[in-house]
């Protein structure tokens, strides 16, 4: 057995055929996802059905809960619709995979990570694609889309896939663009991927993902989560940091 093959067998995000996890209550709840993955279109938006997209879907179904799975699929649908409405040429498969991986850093498997959760998902997406022979340019673009999806403004000046992932995240989490979403489109997407109690649950997911690495929150929207939900959190003060730095002037 070659070293490369042995390494892949020890990394669930680079295996060509990831093993199914042991049955648990979360897995039983996730079994309801199956009906959603059989759609070819939702609200008129085509869902990528390549072998790569299908494998990524199964991997994310088996490593996230319903909250993050449905959120990730909505982010793709909202982002793809945003691109279609603006007649943007974009790689739907790449956008779909980026959407699936974008919130992976919020899961328990990264509870020991010390980097930004966005980087956890970006690194996992890069490993998944690279192990399957995806060209470096597409792998890099996916990494950038996931890594930058919570960064204000900058993604919208970048490649369409990066901009559309950010737009999908902003609509689903922040409500940006909600007023322009046709009610029938909204209802069809939410029928396929409901969001019961989403606001409360996503804030809790952010909080759980940040409590062990609060130093990664400054400069990101997630800093507000710690400020609101963690009474012991002391938000870094940029003015104080500059004034007390080692520089004399």
């Amino acid at each position: 057995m070659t070293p490369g093959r042995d390494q892949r067998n020890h990394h669930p995000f680079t295996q060509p055929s990831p093993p199914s996890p042991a049955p648990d209550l979360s897995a039983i709840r996730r079994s309801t996802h199956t009906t959603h993955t059989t759609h070819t279109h939702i609200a008129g938006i085509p869902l990528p059905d390549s072998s790569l997209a299908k494998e990524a879907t199964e991997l994310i179904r088996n490593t996230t809960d319903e909250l993050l799975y449905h959120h990730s699929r909505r982010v793709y649908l909202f982002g793809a619709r945003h691109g279609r409405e603006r007649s943007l040429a974009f790689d739907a498969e790449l956008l779909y995979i980026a959407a699936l991986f974008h919130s992976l850093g919020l899961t328990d498997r990264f509870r020991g990570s010390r980097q930004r959760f966005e980087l956890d998902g970006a690194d996992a997406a890069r490993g998944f694609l690279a192990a399957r022979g995806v060209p470096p340019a597409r792998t890099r673009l996916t990494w950038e889309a996931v890594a930058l999806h919570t960064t204000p403004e900058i993604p919208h000046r970048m490649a369409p896939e990066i901009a559309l992932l950010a737009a999908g995240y902003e609509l689903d989490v922040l409500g940006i663009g909600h007023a322009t979403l046709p009610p029938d489109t909204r209802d069809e997407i939410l029928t396929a991927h409901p969001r019961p109690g989403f606001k409360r649950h996503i804030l809790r997911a952010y909080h759980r993902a940040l409590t062990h690495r609060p130093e990664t929150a400054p400069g990101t929207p997630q800093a507000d989560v710690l400020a609101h939900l963690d009474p012991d959190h002391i938000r870094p003060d940029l003015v104080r940091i500059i004034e007390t730095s080692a520089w004399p002037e």
Side-chain angles (χ1 to χ4, degrees), residues 1-54:
M1 182 175 292
T2 64
R5 188 183 300 269
D6 183 68
Q7 183 179 10
R8 286 195 300 270
N9 286 342
H10 285 81
H11 198 309
F13 292 100
T14 56
Q15 289 180 14
S17 299
S20 299
D24 58 19
L25 292 178
S26 296
I28 293 171
R29 289 195 301 270
R30 285 194 295 271
S31 66
T32 61
H33 300 336
T34 302
T35 57
H36 304 303
T37 61
T38 59
H39 288 301
T40 59
H41 292 71
I42 296 176
I45 302 163
L47 290 165
D49 63 353
S50 65
S51 59
L52 188 67
K54 290 177 180 177

Side-chain angles (χ1 to χ4, degrees), residues 114-208:
R114 305 304 303 186
Q115 63 182 4
R116 286 179 54 166
F117 84 87
E118 299 95 332
L119 295 178
D120 292 328
D123 290 346
R126 178 171 58 191
F128 173 85
L129 294 174
R132 288 154 181 81
V134 174
R138 295 185 78 217
T139 298
R140 179 68 183 181
L141 192 56
T142 306
W143 186 93
E144 291 174 347
V146 177
L148 293 171
H149 78 271
T150 64
T151 302
E153 297 191 54
I154 293 175
H156 298 287
R157 303 289 188 95
M158 301 181 72
E161 296 80 8
I162 300 174
L164 295 179
L165 183 67
Y169 152 79
E170 289 171 354
L171 175 52
D172 199 47
V173 176
L174 308 178
I176 297 174
H178 185 273
T180 65
L181 188 64
D184 57 343
T185 298
R186 179 197 62 213
D187 293 345
E188 188 170 343
I189 290 174
L190 294 187
T191 296
H193 296 291
R195 43 179 291 155
F198 179 76
K199 292 181 180 180
R200 179 176 73 257
H201 294 309
I202 196 65
L203 286 173
R204 290 177 177 172
Y206 284 137
H207 187 224
R208 286 195 304 271

